Amino acid sequence: MRNQERDTGGHPEHEDHGNQKFPPPEAFRARARVRDLEHFQHLYRESLEDPDTFWRRETEDLLVRRHWTKLREWKLPKIEWFVGGELNVSESCLDRFLEGPTADKVALRFEGEPGETRSLTYRELHRQVVALAAALRARGIEKGDRVAIYMGMVPEAVIAMLACARIGAPHTVVFGGFAAEALADRLNDSGAKAVLTQDGAYRRGNILPLKAAVDIAVDEAPSVETVIVFRRLGQELCPLEMRPGRDYEWAELLAQAHPDQGYAEIVEAEHPLFILYTSGSTGKPKGILHTSYGYLAYAHVTTKYIFDIRDDDIYFCTADVGWITGHTYVTYGPLSNGATVVLYEGAPNQPDWGRFWQIVDKHKVTILYTAPTAIRAFMRAGDEFVDGHDLSSLRLLGSVGEPINPEAWLWYHRKIGRERCPIVDTWWQTETGGIMITTLPGVHATKPGTAGVPFFGVKASVLPPSDEAADPDSGGLLTIDEPWPSMLRGIYGDPERVVQQYFSTVQGHYFSGDGAKVDEDGYIRVLGRTDDVLKLSGHRVGTAEIESCLVGHGAVAEAAAVGRPHDIKGQALVVFVSLKPFRRGSPKLEAELADHIATEIGRFARPDEVCIVPSLPKTRSGKIMRRLLKNIAAFEEVRGDLSTLEDRDVVDTIVQIFSARAR
Ligand code: WT7
């Protein structure tokens, strides 16, 4: 089963399309930045053999205040790029466009969930970033202070990120779907001094009360001194209590701010730009640290080549700013290229599943970057939601977040791309900061379900698993063999852990946690995680986090979380729980445990099933055997080596309970 799940992202294929090749459409190729393999190979070779020349030339257009003297220094855990360089990241995204016609070019085109449109030019975006930067300084926030951003998809979220960057205060964006508890953990771990938030956000026609969650979280987070609230909805739709001395109105602070105080703080290349929390194999999220010059350089160059971005493009990345894609490919990458970025506030099915296509039509989107789980949901909803809309403006499509099953790829290609648009299937991670494996849209033929080749500056390998007992169907270990500019610089608060987490599975190489295969053309097909990290609708969730949340509930003795293939979400979460003595299982308690996860972590992590069982299967040494539970959750035969199992009956009992529920 592993085989099937891995090979198709959990989506069994009826036809084998995975080996078909789709060369770049001629019309696209003809005007692409890189349009033949020789040129690509020349640049790729240069990026590895003469990286100084490559990075110097490719980042020439960034606005930096002091040029670097040494490209990189690399002695783990120390990782430095563009040594000696000084800059302010926001200047490359804003100030550099203020002279000439680009000043009046639209930087952000906002589409609210209710359907209104708002546009900010580069000049206007700059003005607002400067004002917020000044307001932050006026609140005593300085270079090095951490600022949390807990907002929905509104222009102010991007303004917030850039304003933090402007004063050199590392931001930590917390996805608005995270619950108050999860927000509090992140505020405490980062020691945030301020929180930027909004009253509430529109979500699927409802209101997500963000400020109310901040109130709960800040009560548990003593480092927070200031909360700045953007009014998206207004007092009538979303009544607020503002706490005097702590809470400030966004609009008032900006009106009072003195623009002189919004100057750009010039920082050294390795100054922290942001911390972004992500899930790993432990119960606690990791604060992935990214710094300034290297991150910006890589975001800039990948956006330029992979999306082949041009002055007249209307670029729409559907990711939320709460995830890494929203950092690199909503904010820093496209803005440092002077692009027009469409920002959509709401759900893909509001008012119906045609919303993305309506936005593409309305704003004449040329580049669309979205996730396989969304594509599968559109496919499932039916072609009639696409048909009424004019998609002829599109010229390039992208996919990110998990392996895309060939069936969904082909639908995207035919139905959305009308067979005219190349698809870039981009593999990367929170830790990598930018796209690592992809095709270049004017160069490479694409294959449904196969990401492609390493980008410039990236040396990747698929190594045989070190563990001989490893499942051969999960492929080899996908590693990155040399440092790249936007690689994570550490785990916040624990700089040494990065070595043990990422560089010890394969000595000296960065191990991604993913399994992969290389095909006869040298293309890399990413098969999925080899560790205990799940992708629920593209959201990264560690099973250990779910388990530690469950055992925090008074009724739970032990818990095991596993993923099972799901047609739309890619993976669904199933949890098995044993109870403390004298506690009795019931459907009500199961629902309560599902709620517990939703309120502690967030609704996106709510399990599809909670199954209360007498005890969990363990090895004789007491380790929970999740592999067996995974089989059970997927209604498969329990297979593999059972010799280490302590008590065979436990498995039979769970199988009985689980299949009785399904009926
Ligand atoms: C994990 C990283 C990268 C931004 C969004 C996710 C999976 C991501 C692909 C792809 C196959 C992919 C991997 C990776 N993944 N893109 N194109 N093909 N798998 O960032 O939340 O840090 O998750 O997403 O398993 O390790 P993230």
Side-chain angles (χ1 to χ4, degrees):
M1 108 87 197
R2 189 106 173 237
N3 187 9
Q4 191 181 64
E5 181 199 15
R6 290 288 158 109
D7 279 357
T8 63
H11 304 275
E13 291 305 313
H14 306 294
E15 313 160 65
D16 182 19
H17 297 295
N19 293 323
Q20 268 177 277
K21 283 190 204 177
F22 296 82
E26 188 46 35
F28 188 99
R29 201 192 66 81
R31 61 172 287 225
R33 225 175 227 109
V34 184
R35 53 178 95 98
D36 57 67
L37 201 57
E38 289 69 52
H39 187 192
F40 171 80
Q41 281 166 344
H42 168 80
L43 287 171
Y44 182 68
R45 226 173 291 124
E46 181 192 54
S47 73
L48 294 185
E49 288 165 10
D50 186 6
D52 287 42
T53 304
F54 177 87
W55 289 108
R56 195 179 298 281
R57 184 186 61 243
E58 297 299 335
T59 58
E60 233 162 32
D61 49 347
L62 296 176
L63 184 60
V64 304
R65 295 305 189 104
R66 190 154 177 241
H67 287 287
W68 50 275
T69 46
K70 188 168 180 213
L71 184 65
R72 62 188 175 208
E73 258 180 73
W74 160 252
K75 196 167 175 292
L76 282 171
K78 193 174 98 175
I79 305 160
E80 289 185 18
W81 274 83
F82 303 106
V83 184
E86 290 181 2
L87 78 170
N88 181 285
V89 168
S90 82
E91 290 197 318
S92 282
C93 299
L94 300 168
D95 303 60
R96 88 179 185 92
F97 303 110
L98 294 186
E99 263 158 49
T102 47
D104 295 314
K105 180 177 176 177
V106 173
L108 297 179
R109 199 179 281 287
F110 171 66
E111 165 90 7
E113 194 180 81
E116 83 276 32
T117 303
R118 217 177 108 198
S119 293
L120 279 88
T121 62
Y122 273 89
R123 195 195 308 281
E124 179 61 13
L125 183 62
H126 174 265
R127 200 188 60 77
Q128 296 218 30
V129 169
V130 165
L132 182 60
L136 291 171
R137 282 201 175 104
R139 297 302 330 138
I141 297 150
E142 297 174 355
K143 178 179 173 187
D145 290 338
R146 277 79 59 214
V147 176
I149 299 172
Y150 184 64
M151 300 184 79
M153 288 296 285
V154 289
E156 282 66 22
V158 175
I159 292 168
M161 293 164 85
L162 293 170
C164 289
R166 197 152 187 97
I167 65 170
H171 55 71
T172 181
V173 184
V174 179
F175 173 52
F178 276 113
E181 277 305 310
L183 172 60
D185 288 347
R186 286 155 178 76
L187 295 177
N188 284 320
D189 191 85
S190 64
K193 196 167 171 184
V195 181
L196 306 183
T197 190
Q198 64 191 70
D199 46 3
Y202 283 111
R203 193 66 195 174
R204 204 157 291 147
N206 297 319
I207 285 172
L208 191 65
L210 294 169
K211 166 65 163 61
V214 169
D215 286 339
I216 299 170
V218 170
D219 278 342
E220 293 167 35
S223 62
V224 176
E225 295 167 5
T226 301
V227 175
I228 302 178
V229 186
F230 169 66
R231 297 276 184 163
R232 164 65 179 125
L233 301 168
Q235 187 69 14
E236 204 157 295
L237 274 177
C238 188
L240 290 191
E241 255 177 66
M242 297 290 279
R243 201 170 299 178
R246 187 197 73 181
D247 297 352
Y248 296 87
E249 298 282 351
W250 185 291
E252 280 172 25
L253 283 192
L254 261 65
Q256 289 157 12
H258 199 289
D260 282 359
Q261 288 305 301
Y263 61 88
E265 193 83 37
I266 304 306
V267 300
E268 62 279 26
E270 287 301 330
H271 185 71
L273 179 64
F274 64 86
I275 300 162
L276 183 61
Y277 287 86
T278 191
S279 299
S281 49
T282 69
K284 200 172 153 309
K286 309 178 268 197
I288 302 299
L289 176 69
H290 284 287
T291 57
S292 301
Y293 205 148
Y295 172 80
L296 175 70
Y298 199 75
H300 183 68
V301 174
T302 48
T303 305
K304 181 159 80 182
Y305 283 104
I306 299 167
F307 299 113
D308 198 47
I309 211 149
R310 300 314 174 110
D311 284 345
D312 53 357
D313 272 314
I314 308 288
Y315 169 94
F316 179 24
C317 168
T318 67
D320 192 283
V321 289
W323 308 107
I324 188 70
T325 309
H327 286 59
T328 311
Y329 298 111
V330 172
T331 305
Y332 295 107
L335 294 178
S336 71
N337 280 284
T340 294
V341 177
V342 173
L343 208 65
Y344 171 54
E345 178 177 41
N349 58 346
Q350 184 65 24
D352 63 43
W353 285 106
R355 189 59 186 274
F356 280 14
W357 320 125
Q358 178 252 329
I359 292 171
V360 167
D361 188 347
K362 176 172 169 186
H363 298 285
K364 300 290 165 240
V365 170
T366 59
I367 301 172
L368 173 71
Y369 190 30
T370 193
T373 184
I375 298 166
R376 290 191 295 264
F378 295 132
M379 203 168 103
R380 167 69 60 91
D383 290 358
E384 62 270 28
F385 291 104
V386 184
D387 290 339
H389 304 287
D390 177 9
L391 303 184
S392 61
S393 56
L394 286 172
R395 64 182 201 94
L396 175 65
L397 303 174
S399 170
V400 63
E402 58 178 306
I404 180 166
N405 49 308
E407 204 185 345
W409 194 100
L410 285 164
W411 184 86
Y412 199 30
H413 172 65
R414 290 178 185 146
K415 197 69 205 169
I416 305 306
R418 309 279 149 103
E419 301 183 21
R420 295 180 296 104
C421 304
I423 296 179
V424 287
D425 175 0
T426 61
W427 178 86
W428 59 296
Q429 312 178 292
T430 305
E431 293 87 340
T432 71
I435 297 167
M436 303 296 279
I437 296 171
T438 181
T439 49
L440 277 203
V443 175
H444 300 101
T446 50
K447 302 180 201 183
T450 298
V453 296
F455 184 71
F456 302 138
V458 177
K459 227 177 135 224
S461 307
V462 175
L463 302 174
S466 46
D467 174 6
E468 282 180 21
D471 183 345
D473 294 327
S474 63
L477 308 179
L478 177 56
T479 63
I480 311 293
D481 309 327
E482 298 222 3
W484 66 99
S486 65
M487 67 194 295
L488 79 163
R489 296 304 197 266
I491 295 172
Y492 189 75
D494 194 355
E496 301 288 324
R497 187 167 152 212
V498 84
V499 178
Q500 172 245 323
Q501 285 268 314
Y502 298 100
F503 295 90
S504 60
T505 311
V506 186
Q507 201 69 53
H509 300 248
Y510 171 86
F511 174 47
S512 62
D514 280 321
K517 284 181 179 168
V518 184
D519 73 12
E520 62 285 1
D521 297 317
Y523 281 30
I524 295 173
R525 177 144 63 109
V526 180
L527 303 172
R529 304 289 306 193
T530 61
D531 53 10
D532 293 319
V533 170
L534 305 180
K535 277 293 181 128
L536 311 175
S537 299
H539 298 327
R540 181 163 158 182
V541 176
T543 55
E545 266 170 68
I546 302 288
E547 292 163 5
S548 96
C549 171
L550 282 166
V551 296
H553 184 283
V556 175
E558 287 186 302
V562 298
R564 104 167 138 216
H566 185 283
D567 273 353
I568 292 173
K569 299 188 207 176
Q571 281 185 302
L573 177 61
V574 176
V575 301
F576 294 88
V577 164
S578 68
L579 300 180
K580 287 189 176 153
F582 311 114
R583 299 299 292 250
R584 287 189 43 197
S586 66
K588 190 166 157 265
L589 181 57
E590 290 178 346
E592 188 182 315
L593 294 175
D595 285 343
H596 180 68
I597 293 172
T599 48
E600 296 277 310
I601 298 178
R603 278 168 50 182
F604 65 91
R606 182 192 205 91
D608 274 33
E609 268 190 76
V610 177
C611 181
I612 296 176
V613 295
S615 54
L616 298 173
K618 291 192 184 155
T619 61
R620 287 193 194 92
S621 59
K623 265 183 78 181
I624 297 173
M625 294 181 77
R626 286 186 185 70
R627 159 172 80 79
L628 311 181
L629 294 170
K630 222 173 131 180
N631 290 154
I632 296 171
F635 304 103
E636 293 159 354
E637 199 192 324
V638 175
R639 286 180 297 106
D641 182 12
L642 298 181
S643 63
T644 55
L645 188 61
E646 183 193 35
D647 181 356
R648 180 77 236 217
D649 291 346
V650 172
V651 174
D652 296 335
T653 310
I654 298 176
V655 170
Q656 267 173 27
I657 295 175
F658 200 78
S659 43
R661 296 158 54 91
R663 263 181 248 124

